[in-house]
Amino acid sequence: MRKIIITAFLFAAFACAQSYVPGPQVLTFLSDIDDSDQPYALYLPKKLAPGKKYPLVISLHGAWSNHRLNLKRVFGKGNRPGENDAEASRYFPPFRDVDFIVASPYARGTMGYQGIPEQDVYDVLADVKRRFPVDEDRIYLTGLSMGGGGTLWLGLTRPDLWAAIAPVCAAAPAGADELAPNALNLPVHLFHGDQDPAVPVEASRTWHKRLLDLGTKAEYVEYPGVRHNSWDNAYANGAIFDWFGKFKRERFPDRVRFVTRAYQYPSAYWVRIDGLTPGELAAIDARFTAPNRIEVTSENVTGFTLLLQGHPKASGRAPVHVTINGTKVETQSGRTLSYTGMKPGKYTPPAGAKAPGAEGPVGAAVASRHIYVFGTQAGTKEQIAERREIAAKGAEWSTPQLRLLLSHRVAADRDIREADTKGANLVLFGNRETNSVLAGIAGKLPLELNAGAADYGLIFVAPVNGKYVVVNSGLPWWTGQENAQRPGLRFLRAPYAALLTLGDYILFKGSLANVVAEGRFDNTWKLSAADRAKIEATGAVVIR
């Protein structure tokens, strides 16, 4: 009976998939970040054959573009002569018939592919897999310009998800280059025009050399005389599908090399990092030297796990001999082997220490559902109205030009319910005298700005009851941003752009251009000795 029910369920699921029309179209998924319907463009083959699983290409658009245009681009379809992007977005021309499913997320528009847009990409991937029969070993990633940078970021932070990646004239985000070792088992194809005025061609040349030097299967095509539109050549006639079709995901490579700075990106293939210091580059290199014999070298790794289930060189019937940083450790048997330091045993972060979902930085708190909360205590109507305006400015990430399809809630402290504190991160403006929510948790926080320190801005992140809290006391975090020369994406709106440049904490005086101290808390959410001394010298902050 159970078999019959399962078969009926699969048939119903397939019949549902069959109801979608073949070719290009637009679907939506419901985002948990802000309860919005988010669009993505989709291509389906002419016929989804029963019992067959299909390769999937995720394609990421560039800045000032969109999902509809990008789906056309990856099939080699440019704008018609004299046609602008708005006009080109209104229709889909005939596409080359390929035996691939192709999805292009809108990912909020032009804001890069980290944080919320990054989650959108994975939400689109999950939505496509829910609706259609996707081959898990043939999922590919490509993108152009900003989307090429997103391809490098998503590809290198989760290399075991993709069968191959193809960045086109990639504008890589900061920090992507140090993740290049992660591509050891991930084929990469780079494309660039040598006259590109937007993303210098040297970027792809450097990436190609870097990857080759690390032993990656990296290919590179450079187009003489071509400017920033190198995708016209790279995607001509849908040729990217022919290249992708050569590869399947390597599930169980003999060697895994993986680096990361965050618990958010903990693993690749059969290796997982269980303990690290967030913000500090952790590296692990594990390889089979023979069946059931593994050599591991690591740096800044407190604990790790080897997930050997299914690996052809790991037999659960015989003990596994592991050497860590040149030292043979106690032999173990099993398919899941964990180590803390040089000893067998699973590493678990101590109570109160940084851990998955509680590691910072500030940007992590605003990469998922969050609420901007202003205080209504100890103030006139005019003062409370001004506080609300400040919170609203912090929450407004979009502009008429960016059109991010993103909305964040702004709420008074008195309107925050228990369901809000359990279901969302909070960005709290003010201090314990002005904001009742902040007053209720002040004793749990590592820092507090003195009420009289009106010429300072203190911003920090901390975990409270399983969620993040960002506190902004004194001056708003974007004060003087125009003179601060902070890094980041130049096209983002000022308050949000400044937020993404922050670590775990920052104290500035008068302006963001005059920083007293900033950085990451240690693993116990404490300041470094040097920053503690700088902050104490101001007399403006209580340090717990």
Side-chain angles (χ1 to χ4, degrees):
M1 178 61 72
R2 183 172 181 268
K3 184 176 180 180
I4 294 174
I5 292 173
I6 292 174
T7 302
F9 174 81
L10 293 175
F11 178 82
F14 180 76
C16 180
Q18 286 286 77
S19 68
Y20 292 90
V21 298
Q25 56 207 279
V26 174
L27 302 182
T28 64
F29 70 93
L30 179 64
S31 171
D32 184 59
I33 290 169
D34 58 353
D35 298 322
S36 61
D37 286 316
Q38 293 294 321
Y40 63 95
L42 180 76
Y43 169 86
L44 292 178
K46 283 186 177 179
K47 184 178 181 181
L48 296 179
K52 180 178 178 179
K53 294 198 173 187
Y54 287 79
L56 168 64
V57 173
I58 299 290
S59 182
L60 309 179
H61 66 76
W64 314 114
S65 187
N66 60 57
H67 51 305
R68 298 175 65 93
L69 271 178
N70 191 65
L71 189 65
K72 295 172 67 171
R73 300 284 186 261
V74 79
F75 277 88
K77 301 295 183 179
N79 295 9
R80 294 169 178 167
E83 186 178 56
N84 63 35
D85 284 351
E87 293 166 337
S89 297
R90 295 171 188 161
Y91 67 95
F92 290 117
F95 285 175
R96 170 187 167 184
D97 183 29
V98 296
D99 212 26
F100 285 74
I101 299 171
V102 187
S104 178
Y106 183 62
R108 311 291 165 155
T110 301
M111 58 185 299
Y113 288 95
Q114 294 175 310
I116 289 175
E118 180 177 6
Q119 183 57 50
D120 280 0
V121 174
Y122 289 119
D123 284 344
V124 167
L125 175 58
D127 196 60
V128 173
K129 288 165 62 176
R130 179 180 63 82
R131 297 174 191 257
F132 306 106
V134 171
D135 185 340
E136 296 280 358
D137 289 327
R138 293 189 293 165
I139 301 177
Y140 310 93
L141 181 64
T142 187
L144 58 92
S145 192
M146 180 184 80
T151 298
L152 286 169
W153 180 258
L154 274 70
L156 296 176
T157 50
R158 296 183 64 182
D160 54 355
L161 179 62
W162 315 100
I165 65 172
V168 181
C169 55
D177 55 342
E178 66 187 13
L179 304 179
N182 299 353
L184 178 63
N185 302 295
L186 180 65
V188 180
H189 199 326
L190 300 142
F191 303 86
H192 218 119
D194 71 354
Q195 300 299 309
D196 193 327
V199 181
V201 67
E202 193 59 36
S204 287
R205 292 172 180 170
T206 300
W207 268 102
H208 186 226
K209 183 179 185 305
R210 180 185 295 126
L211 292 169
L212 289 179
D213 288 346
L214 288 165
T216 298
K217 299 174 184 176
E219 301 177 42
Y220 176 46
V221 174
E222 187 170 300
Y223 303 109
V226 173
R227 293 170 65 82
H228 192 49
N229 61 322
S230 51
W231 53 84
D232 288 340
N233 300 78
Y235 295 151
N237 300 314
I240 196 66
F241 301 107
D242 299 328
W243 185 78
F244 280 145
K246 300 175 184 179
F247 303 102
K248 285 190 175 184
R249 176 176 59 161
E250 176 63 84
R251 288 193 178 213
F252 300 111
D254 285 352
R255 181 185 180 189
V256 175
R257 192 173 56 200
F258 187 66
V259 298
T260 183
R261 288 186 182 271
Y263 282 113
Q264 180 183 355
Y265 309 108
S267 64
Y269 306 99
W270 47 272
V271 176
R272 183 183 71 221
I273 295 177
D274 299 321
L276 52 75
T277 298
E280 187 174 282
L281 193 65
I284 191 165
D285 191 338
R287 70 177 80 194
F288 277 89
T289 58
N292 278 31
R293 292 189 178 273
I294 301 172
E295 288 186 358
V296 177
T297 58
S298 65
E299 185 176 359
N300 300 325
V301 174
T302 313
F304 65 90
T305 294
L306 305 177
L307 305 163
L308 304 180
Q309 179 71 36
H311 200 294
K313 288 193 174 180
S315 170
R317 300 175 183 175
V320 179
H321 301 272
V322 178
T323 299
I324 303 176
N325 294 333
T327 300
K328 293 182 179 180
V329 299
E330 181 182 334
T331 300
Q332 295 189 83
S333 297
R335 302 297 178 94
T336 301
L337 307 180
S338 295
Y339 299 87
T340 297
M342 297 288 184
K343 297 181 179 180
K346 174 71 180 298
Y347 174 83
T348 302
K354 287 188 171 182
E359 59 176 317
V362 169
V366 296
S368 57
R369 180 188 292 269
H370 62 283
I371 305 170
Y372 294 80
V373 184
F374 63 94
T376 61
Q377 312 302 305
T380 65
K381 288 183 178 180
E382 291 75 16
Q383 289 173 322
I384 294 172
E386 183 180 356
R387 294 172 193 168
R388 190 194 187 288
E389 289 179 7
I390 291 173
K393 184 172 182 180
E396 185 52 68
W397 294 7
S398 188
T399 68
Q401 186 179 20
L402 283 176
R403 300 173 64 186
L404 297 185
L405 289 189
L406 182 65
S407 177
H408 299 303
R409 180 182 165 200
V410 178
D413 52 0
R414 59 178 174 243
D415 295 328
I416 296 298
R417 305 165 301 151
E418 182 180 0
D420 295 323
T421 60
K422 290 183 176 180
N425 300 325
L426 302 179
V427 180
L428 305 175
F429 290 88
N431 54 43
R432 68 166 74 205
E433 285 77 22
T434 63
N435 190 313
S436 61
V437 177
L438 184 50
I441 61 172
K444 300 179 180 179
L445 302 176
L447 304 173
E448 184 175 1
L449 187 70
N450 291 326
D455 55 343
Y456 285 90
L458 175 67
I459 302 93
F460 64 91
V461 64
V464 177
N465 300 328
K467 288 291 182 180
Y468 283 120
V469 165
V470 175
V471 175
N472 187 163
S473 298
L475 301 173
W477 68 73
W478 57 88
T479 303
Q481 179 184 355
E482 64 277 7
N483 300 315
Q485 296 184 335
R486 308 285 292 184
L489 298 176
R490 63 185 181 276
F491 42 71
L492 295 179
R493 191 172 184 270
Y496 175 55
L499 197 66
L500 293 185
T501 69
L502 304 182
D504 290 344
Y505 61 86
I506 185 170
L507 177 69
F508 62 84
K509 185 174 183 181
S511 166
L512 196 58
N514 185 26
V515 175
V516 176
E518 67 174 314
R520 301 294 297 268
F521 292 117
D522 68 15
N523 260 342
T524 60
W525 293 94
K526 302 295 184 184
L527 295 165
S528 67
D531 280 355
R532 183 182 181 100
K534 292 176 186 177
I535 292 173
E536 283 181 334
T538 68
V541 178
V542 175
I543 302 174
R544 296 185 180 87

